[in-house]
Each structure stands twice: as structure tokens, then as C-alpha cells.
Amino acid sequence: VKLPKSFYADGVHCGIAKNKKKKDIAIFYSGRDCAAAGIFTRNLVKAAPVLVSRANLAKSAGAIRAIVANSGCANACTGEKGMSHVYATTGFVGARLGINDFNVLVASTGVIGVELPVLKVEDGVKRLSAMVMAGKSSPNAAVEAIMTTDTFQKQACREVVIGGKRARIWGCAKGAGMIHPDMATLLSFVLTDAAITPGVLKTALKPAADVSFNRVTVDGDTSTNDSLIALANGAAGNKKITAPSGADYRKFAAALSSVCRDLAVMVAADGEGATKLIRVYVGSARSAADAKKAAAAVATSPLVKTAAFGNDPNWGRVIAAAGRSGAEFDPGRVDISINGTTVARNGEAVPFSESALKRSMTRKELKINIELNSGNASAEYYTCDFSFDYVKINASYRT
Amino acid sequence: VKLPKSFYADGVHCGIAKNKKKKDIAIFYSGRDCAAAGIFTRNLVKAAPVLVSRANLAKSAGAIRAIVANSGCANACTGEKGMSHVYATTGFVGARLGINDFNVLVASTGVIGVELPVLKVEDGVKRLSAMVMAGKSSPNAAVEAIMTTDTFQKQACREVVIGGKRARIWGCAKGAGMIHPDMATLLSFVLTDAAITPGVLKTALKPAADVSFNRVTVDGDTSTNDSLIALANGAAGNKKITAPSGADYRKFAAALSSVCRDLAVMVAADGEGATKLIRVYVGSARSAADAKKAAAAVATSPLVKTAAFGNDPNWGRVIAAAGRSGAEFDPGRVDISINGTTVARNGEAVPFSESALKRSMTRKELKINIELNSGNASAEYYTCDFSFDYVKINASYRT
């Protein structure tokens, strides 16, 4: 794994996690000022780090230098004390790295309503700052440190040539639970050495989120801590992108979307207890909004997701979920296929080989296609099946 | 169990269910013309029996004589053939009972996309018609016949004195899966011998549904077949209620709401795989709409429901669900209690005995109270926990 130029990342165990082998705090550091953009949870209940990061972005979107992220504690519903713990964290980082407090962003994930053990964070920041100042970098360690119930690391990367200069866009995400638009993931950080203004970066980040993290659902719950943060430090040396138009912008925006989509698909595939990724595609809808509504309802339905776990091609649940989604269509024109096998045409059953389809459904990826046959719009949604392990993981997450 | 006067109900096995011991078709018959009202699924995908029953109610809401209901087949997504199977059913009933086809209502529950085995239905109708014509009545057999994954029968009853006459309101419901507003239950039939006009009965039924079936969620999925039907045959001999006002109306409406709420709570308690009933109460909200939104989000959250299964007082998930509900409130003023124990005050943790609370959470009923402290409105919602058995039941329901 190679980060974009002049970025450094690392992770250590500082004691927030009970398991001493689990890294629980990470730093993402840039040697140069970064243009920065963020998209945060729309939950009314916002964690302290979300509030502070949003304020710091508003204050200095052109001069962000570091993100500090921890797992094991969400620092949400922690009141004034929670806020002061975030200010303490940005203070530690600022002092160690010799930068302003408000040039630091903070993200947390873990249990809600528990105080951040700020002295452990201080220790972690001290060690991590020393590491990145010495030029050390281990993206894998950083990504491990933000994992909670994730079973694998989520990283994605694209290279893109902008005005003759090769720029790199690297991203990571942590997902697994409390995953639903908007935002769809708990934490994601995207780092690039492309030169771009903060405003244009924000403009590019929004549609990237819309086709990626805002198309993922694991359990329908939006978190209090969702944060997608992009940093661009300009070390690639390209002519700075200053407007959301032109070939350079389009190339950059497309690559950014690809990185986000790769991460989003990984988040879906690694949903808590998941045994398979489910891609729900809704085609020939009257409008993009209708397509998205229908796809979201199917992808969120516990009945569809448990049937997927059981390799049961229960298309009745698929059409029923689309029917309650609010999307407008004629149920008598709907075609449904599962893994390429047509199971319903014009809203009614068609014969298919049950045993062959069940066998194909045991694969790690399931594709549900719904053609509404009422227009030209489409949307894809990413989710996972609902297994015994989802219940097992979540019945005793806190204790 | 005693039905209201001049009502007869029974159930038999006619062969729709594979298990020969499982009754699968029921009749609810009145010796006199009934005022009738119905509330049906808002799913865009409506089963054939829903379409026909709605049409028959529009045509003859003052002269309904029978409801025929089957389990094991939803007769949804079955196209023209499905419609003709319902017409055949009303035809069989009309011929056997000597009444008009359009004075018969039909309700079905079971797998979507499967054809109704209409000759088996014919056989069932023949036997059931003979039974009720001979004055036989077994409400328990009728209720058993509409059960699917229900683990117990759901019946409720109230007596009310209207203008010196004793009237009876009896209801039954079948629930378990695909339970979510609106409507919240698959099938519910309410029979009364009170005398009331069809229009006033409909006026009373709507608020009754709003505080009962529309406050229940098991899995967030609205069915294609949801039907709540009320029949009033006037055999109690009271002065007919002809306006939605006055003491008689209020007594009747209150008793009707009580019957529906009893049934709704039973539906929640018997949700698929449920080990306990959960009552989610949201108080001191800015508006009734806000209270309902917040209660619905908490009651629907898989994370809250799995935590309930694990007896984990994870109040962070409760406040997070309320926060994403769209209700407006100040998270810093929220108080939360679980089974009477305060776990959060002003949006932050307060100390409590973890072991005592966990012990109380193992009971069959769990009460989550959320005070938003921002107004005077409140709402209650009924749901159940999310267990391993929910997944087990739904992973292979169809096959």
C-alpha cells in the first residue's frame, strides 16, 4: 500500500480497546496544508468529534494537516465533557505536530454514551505524532485501528493523470454496523496528492458519496458519528483544479467516485454477520428518485435479506418491498431476475430451476435485478444478507 | 369464546397447507346483513383478494354476510388468474349460502406469487358453509385457520352497553411477519352485534387502527395482503348509531379501539422469533407526529431489537434511532428509562445497576421510555426483539 505523496498514516493500541492486540487509534498526517472537505451524519444526535470537525473545516478548509481517529468509543451523547475531550485531542495533536489545533480533524467510532479515555488518547497521539514526524507510515496499521466489527480492511486506490502529472487517490473505510444513508458508513477518509481547491473538492465529494456510501445499507440505522473526509495536499504538482468543470475535474471526480464506490461495496460485503454481498439493481424506473426508493426498500428489507441468507429465491418479498417503497410503477409490468435467472415476468411467477438458482445463490455475491418497465432511470444499492451472526454480534455489542 | 349474536365462524383443513393437521381456511358468517368497513394495505402491490374485497365493500357496505379467509397462499402477484380465483371463491360462497357474490369478502395470507388452489378452496367452502348454515360455530378453529407463523391465537373481546342493550365486539388477528404500518397486521377481523351504519363504522375503525395496528412493527415490511375488516350485524338491538358523536358512539369507538389494541399488542408479542414484547413510549414531544416518528424509528431499529434480545440496556442505540427519525428535539434534553430504570438524563449516561437492569430485561415485556422534554405530545409503539429465530424462520419460509 502506497499513500499519495507527502501523506503519512499509522495506528497503535493506546488502551481504549480492551484487547491489547487491537490497534485503537490512528493518525492520517500530511506534510503540507490540505484542501479538505467533509460530509457528516444527518442524525440529529451528533457525536462531539463530528461537531468539532465540522467547525474546524468551516474555519480552515484550506489548511487541514491531520485526522485523528479512534475506535472503541464513539464519544457521542457525552455532553460538554465529550466536547472538551475532542478539544484536548486536537490540542495534543497540534502541540506534538507543531500545527494549529483547528487544522486537526477528529473522528470516533464505538459505543455511544461512554466517555473518551482522554489520557490514553494523549499517549496514543504522542506515539503516533513521533512516528509520522519521523517519516514512518503504515496505512494498514492506521486502517486496522479504525476497525470495529469489520472482518477485513477496506482500502481502495486509483491513479489518474491530471495535466501530465500522476495523482493518487487513496481511501479507507470502516463499516459493519449502524450503516444506512445518509451517511452510509461510519468512517471513511480519502487522501489525494492532487491539487484542488477546498470548494471544488467538496463539489466532487458530494456526488461521489451519493453513488457510494449513500447507496449502502446494512441495518437501516444511521450512526451518530458518520464522517467522510477528503484531504488533498497538492503534492502531485498538477495545475490546481479550481472549477468543477473541464477534463481535469471530470477525471478527478470520476476517480474519486470509483474509490468511494469500491469502499462502499466492501462495507456492504462486510456488513455485520454477512455471508454475501447483495447488489440490488432497479432499472427502467420513471425517475432516478423512484429507482433509488425502490432499490433502497428492497436492500433494507429484513425479509429479503434473511431469504438471501437462506438462498431462497423469494421474489414475492422483493416486489412487496418495492411496492411499499413509495416508487410509482405498475406491478403488472415488473420483471425480476436473481443472478441472471428470470423469476417473475409482468409481476407474476415464471418457471425456473429452483435447485440451480439456489446453488448459484450460495455464492459470495448475489444480484437482484428489478425492471419496472416504466421509464429510463436506474439505481443500484449495496447490502448484505441477514444472518444468525448479525443477531449474535448485536445482542451483546456493548457488554 | 362467544361470538357476538348471530355470528358463526369455523375453520377446516382443505389442502392449501402441506401439514394435514393445520386448518387453512376459515369462514366468518352473519345470519343478518352487516354494516362493513375495511382498511387495506397501502402497498402498491395489492393481492387479488384485497382488490376484490375493496370493490365489494364499495358496492355493498351495508349488506356483507361473510368473510372467507385462507392461510398458506397470499394470492398476490398472480395476475388475471388470481382475480378469477377470488371471483370463483365468492361465487362458491354465494351459491352455498344463498347470498350475492358481492356480499362476500375474501382475505388471504401466505406465500406471494403462488396460485390459489381453487378446487381445494371450493371443497373447504362447501364444508364450512354447511357447518355455519347448521348453526355450528368454532371461533378457535377459524382463528387457527388464518395463522401462519403465529405461535398463539389472537382474540380479544369487549362488551359495552349501548342505549340499554349489551353489545359485543370480538376480534381476531394473524400476524408474525411482514408487519409494519400501514397497515400493521396481515389480517384482522372484528365482529360486533352493535347496530351502526357503515359510514360511522368506518369513521370509528380508522382511529382504532391508528392506535393499534398502525403502531406495530415486526420487521418494517408492509404486506401485500393487509386487511382489517369490521362487520356489524345489529343483532344486539340497540338504537342504531348513525353519527360519529354522542355517548353511544364514543362508548362503541372506545371499545373498538381497545379490541384492536389488544390484538396489536399480541401481534407484536408474537412477532417472528420474538422472545419478548417491547413497548416504546415517547413522551413530551413537540407534536404527536414527532412522537410517532421517534417511537417508530426506535421500534423498527434492528440494533435496538437485537440489543433487547441480548438483554443489553444499550440506550445509545435508542437515542441514535430517535435522532435519525426526523422528529425535532434537543438531544441534550432527552431522558431515557428502561423498565423504569433511568439510563440517560439530558442525553448523557447516568449510573445504574447493570446486573439488576439486565435481570429485569429477561422478562417477557420490555418498556423503553423516551422523554424528549420539548412539548406535550406522546405516542406508544409495539414491537418485539430480534432473535436468532427470526433469521431461522425467514431464511427458508418459502421452501
Side-chain angles (χ1 to χ4, degrees):
Chain A
V1 184
K2 216 180 106 192
L3 292 183
K5 286 191 196 101
S6 201
F7 275 107
Y8 309 83
D10 226 318
V12 295
H13 171 83
C14 74
I16 308 172
K18 284 173 201 155
N19 174 355
K20 286 185 181 169
K21 289 187 175 161
K22 170 69 177 75
K23 296 184 173 63
D24 53 17
I25 189 163
I27 196 164
F28 300 84
Y29 170 68
S30 167
R32 311 158 47 120
D33 282 356
C34 294
I39 297 180
F40 298 98
T41 181
R42 295 193 199 160
N43 198 311
L44 197 63
V45 181
K46 291 176 176 65
V50 167
L51 296 172
V52 173
S53 291
R54 216 167 49 165
N56 287 358
L57 271 181
K59 201 181 292 180
S60 54
I64 298 297
R65 291 291 297 277
I67 305 169
V68 174
N70 73 275
S71 56
C73 171
N75 194 8
C77 302
T78 44
E80 285 301 316
K81 203 178 261 180
M83 293 297 284
S84 64
H85 288 163
V86 184
Y87 292 127
T89 303
T90 57
F92 300 148
V93 177
R96 294 282 168 186
L97 295 177
I99 59 177
N100 285 321
D101 297 15
F102 51 82
N103 293 345
V104 178
L105 305 179
V106 180
S108 298
T109 176
V111 182
I112 296 171
V114 172
E115 273 181 35
L116 191 69
V118 76
L119 293 178
K120 290 174 177 170
V121 169
E122 183 182 28
D123 172 58
V125 166
K126 182 174 147 191
R127 287 153 57 204
L128 288 168
S129 301
M131 287 154 80
V132 294
M133 294 284 272
K136 285 187 186 160
S137 187
S138 168
N140 285 345
V143 176
E144 189 200 319
I146 61 169
M147 287 166 72
T148 53
T149 48
D150 305 65
T151 66
F152 60 84
Q153 293 206 359
K154 292 154 195 80
Q155 298 185 38
C157 196
R158 289 285 186 292
E159 288 200 342
V160 57
V161 177
I162 308 177
K165 301 287 182 180
R166 184 172 298 274
R168 211 171 161 75
I169 304 176
W170 174 90
C172 66
K174 162 247 121 62
M178 233 188 222
I179 302 294
H180 197 66
D182 303 291
M183 285 289 301
T185 189
L186 272 162
L187 304 180
S188 177
F189 310 124
V190 180
L191 313 178
T192 178
D193 46 20
I196 185 168
T197 64
V200 178
L201 181 61
K202 182 74 187 275
T203 303
L205 192 59
K206 211 192 153 308
D210 280 345
V211 296
S212 59
F213 300 116
N214 285 343
R215 297 294 172 94
V216 168
T217 179
V218 169
D219 50 21
D221 270 322
T222 314
S223 133
T224 50
N225 290 56
D226 292 333
S227 305
L228 164 61
I229 296 168
L231 302 184
N233 69 8
N238 61 293
K239 183 161 171 281
K240 191 178 275 192
I241 303 173
T242 57
S245 56
D248 283 358
Y249 173 75
R250 283 195 298 273
K251 265 195 210 169
F252 175 81
L256 181 64
S257 285
S258 293
V259 167
C260 289
R261 191 151 35 199
D262 281 2
L263 293 172
V265 169
M266 285 186 243
V267 166
D270 195 24
E272 285 174 342
T275 74
K276 67 191 72 162
L277 168 70
I278 307 176
R279 293 175 186 268
V280 177
Y281 173 87
V282 172
S284 52
R286 269 171 26 122
S287 67
D290 270 6
K292 191 174 172 185
K293 271 185 213 165
V298 173
T300 309
S301 163
L303 289 171
V304 170
K305 288 153 64 84
T306 45
F309 171 60
N311 305 313
D312 180 2
N314 194 329
W315 63 267
R317 292 179 177 174
V318 172
I319 196 170
R324 69 161 161 84
S325 69
E328 279 186 49
F329 61 89
D330 176 356
R333 301 187 65 178
V334 173
D335 300 332
I336 300 174
S337 71
I338 297 175
N339 283 350
T341 298
T342 301
V343 290
R345 190 171 291 130
N346 294 325
E348 297 179 39
V350 293
F352 58 87
S353 162
E354 180 95 20
S355 59
L357 183 49
K358 278 184 93 75
R359 209 160 42 240
S360 98
M361 289 179 76
T362 61
R363 293 196 302 245
K364 297 298 272 180
E365 195 167 323
L366 180 68
K367 191 153 174 68
I368 301 175
N369 262 55
I370 304 147
E371 291 293 338
L372 300 180
N373 293 313
S374 30
N376 298 309
S378 66
E380 194 170 30
Y381 232 82
Y382 313 104
T383 187
C384 59
D385 58 340
F386 223 156
S387 73
F388 294 115
D389 281 351
Y390 177 85
V391 178
K392 192 171 172 183
I393 290 164
N394 282 298
S396 56
Y397 176 67
R398 202 185 56 96
T399 49
Chain B
V1 184
K2 215 179 105 192
L3 291 184
K5 286 190 196 99
S6 203
F7 275 107
Y8 308 84
D10 226 318
V12 294
H13 170 83
C14 74
I16 307 171
K18 284 174 202 155
N19 174 357
K20 285 185 181 170
K21 289 186 177 164
K22 170 71 176 76
K23 296 185 173 63
D24 52 17
I25 188 162
I27 196 164
F28 300 86
Y29 170 67
S30 167
R32 310 158 48 118
D33 281 357
C34 295
I39 297 180
F40 299 97
T41 182
R42 295 194 199 157
N43 198 312
L44 196 64
V45 181
K46 290 175 176 67
V50 166
L51 296 172
V52 173
S53 292
R54 217 167 48 166
N56 287 358
L57 271 181
K59 200 182 294 181
S60 54
I64 297 297
R65 292 290 297 277
I67 305 169
V68 174
N70 73 276
S71 56
C73 171
N75 194 8
C77 302
T78 45
E80 286 301 316
K81 204 177 262 179
M83 293 297 283
S84 64
H85 287 162
V86 185
Y87 292 127
T89 303
T90 57
F92 299 148
V93 178
R96 295 281 169 185
L97 296 177
I99 58 176
N100 286 321
D101 297 15
F102 51 82
N103 292 345
V104 178
L105 305 179
V106 180
S108 298
T109 175
V111 182
I112 295 171
V114 171
E115 272 181 35
L116 191 69
V118 76
L119 293 177
K120 291 174 177 171
V121 169
E122 183 182 27
D123 172 59
V125 166
K126 183 175 145 190
R127 287 154 57 203
L128 289 168
S129 300
M131 288 155 79
V132 295
M133 293 283 273
K136 286 187 184 159
S137 186
S138 170
N140 286 345
V143 176
E144 189 200 318
I146 61 168
M147 288 167 70
T148 52
T149 48
D150 304 66
T151 67
F152 61 83
Q153 292 205 0
K154 291 154 196 83
Q155 299 185 37
C157 196
R158 290 284 185 291
E159 286 200 343
V160 59
V161 178
I162 309 177
K165 303 286 183 181
R166 185 172 298 275
R168 209 171 162 74
I169 304 176
W170 174 89
C172 66
K174 161 247 119 61
M178 233 188 223
I179 303 296
H180 198 66
D182 305 293
M183 284 288 302
T185 188
L186 271 162
L187 304 181
S188 177
F189 310 124
V190 180
L191 312 177
T192 178
D193 46 21
I196 184 168
T197 63
V200 179
L201 181 60
K202 181 73 187 274
T203 303
L205 192 60
K206 213 193 151 307
D210 280 345
V211 297
S212 59
F213 300 115
N214 286 343
R215 297 295 173 92
V216 167
T217 179
V218 169
D219 50 21
D221 269 322
T222 314
S223 133
T224 50
N225 290 56
D226 292 334
S227 305
L228 164 62
I229 296 169
L231 302 184
N233 69 8
N238 62 294
K239 183 164 170 280
K240 191 178 275 189
I241 303 173
T242 56
S245 56
D248 284 357
Y249 173 76
R250 283 196 298 274
K251 266 196 209 167
F252 175 82
L256 181 65
S257 285
S258 293
V259 167
C260 290
R261 191 153 34 202
D262 281 2
L263 294 172
V265 169
M266 284 186 244
V267 166
D270 195 25
E272 284 173 342
T275 74
K276 67 191 71 165
L277 168 70
I278 307 175
R279 291 175 188 267
V280 177
Y281 173 87
V282 172
S284 52
R286 268 172 25 123
S287 67
D290 269 8
K292 192 174 172 185
K293 270 185 213 164
V298 173
T300 309
S301 161
L303 290 171
V304 170
K305 288 153 66 81
T306 45
F309 171 62
N311 304 314
D312 180 3
N314 193 330
W315 63 267
R317 291 179 179 176
V318 172
I319 196 169
R324 69 160 161 86
S325 69
E328 279 184 49
F329 61 89
D330 176 354
R333 302 188 64 179
V334 174
D335 300 332
I336 300 174
S337 72
I338 297 176
N339 283 351
T341 299
T342 300
V343 291
R345 191 172 288 131
N346 294 325
E348 296 179 39
V350 294
F352 59 87
S353 161
E354 179 96 18
S355 59
L357 184 48
K358 278 183 94 74
R359 209 159 44 239
S360 97
M361 289 179 75
T362 61
R363 293 196 301 244
K364 295 298 272 179
E365 196 168 323
L366 180 68
K367 193 154 173 68
I368 301 175
N369 261 55
I370 305 147
E371 291 293 339
L372 300 180
N373 293 314
S374 31
N376 298 310
S378 66
E380 193 170 30
Y381 232 81
Y382 314 104
T383 187
C384 59
D385 58 340
F386 224 156
S387 73
F388 293 116
D389 280 351
Y390 177 85
V391 178
K392 193 170 172 183
I393 290 164
N394 282 297
S396 57
Y397 175 67
R398 201 185 56 96
T399 49

